[in-house]
Amino acid sequence: EPNTGNNGVHASASPFEAFAERTNWLGVAVERDYFGKAMLALGIPMGTIKAWCEDPAVPFEGKRQSLFDLLEDLDGRDCLKKSVAILSSK
């Protein structure tokens, strides 16, 4: 019987979190994933992308916050725009 812990459905909270799950759980290479390619094309360094897949606390708007929380509930385009803004706020 499916329940909260045993089910076949998973929904990610953001396009970035879905990307991180593909790289962490499925071993998909950053440069082979469509979202990873988009991040690289926007100038986000490979090392930053890989570090962000671990959900670090990042400085943004004057405080350190969970990267996953910052990108939650955004569509793909807005998630990419905010990712660039987070990188720029270092």
Side-chain angles (χ1 to χ4, degrees), residues 7-52:
N7 63 68
V9 176
H10 174 77
S12 301
S14 76
F16 181 81
E17 195 169 330
F19 157 74
E21 290 162 350
R22 288 190 297 276
T23 62
N24 292 337
W25 297 349
L26 302 176
V28 176
V30 171
E31 63 277 6
R32 295 193 50 98
D33 183 272
Y34 66 93
F35 199 82
K37 287 179 189 179
M39 294 184 83
L40 290 167
L42 289 171
I44 300 173
M46 178 71 78
T48 299
I49 295 169
K50 288 182 177 183
W52 282 2

Side-chain angles (χ1 to χ4, degrees), residues 36-77:
K37 287 179 189 179
M39 294 184 83
L40 290 167
L42 289 171
I44 300 173
M46 178 71 78
T48 299
I49 295 169
K50 288 182 177 183
W52 282 2
C53 286
E54 301 298 322
D55 189 23
V58 294
F60 188 68
E61 296 181 340
K63 59 184 174 179
R64 295 185 69 73
Q65 303 173 67
S66 157
L67 181 81
F68 284 9
D69 288 351
L70 286 169
L71 299 177
E72 194 170 278
D73 297 328
L74 300 173
D75 69 17
R77 185 172 290 129

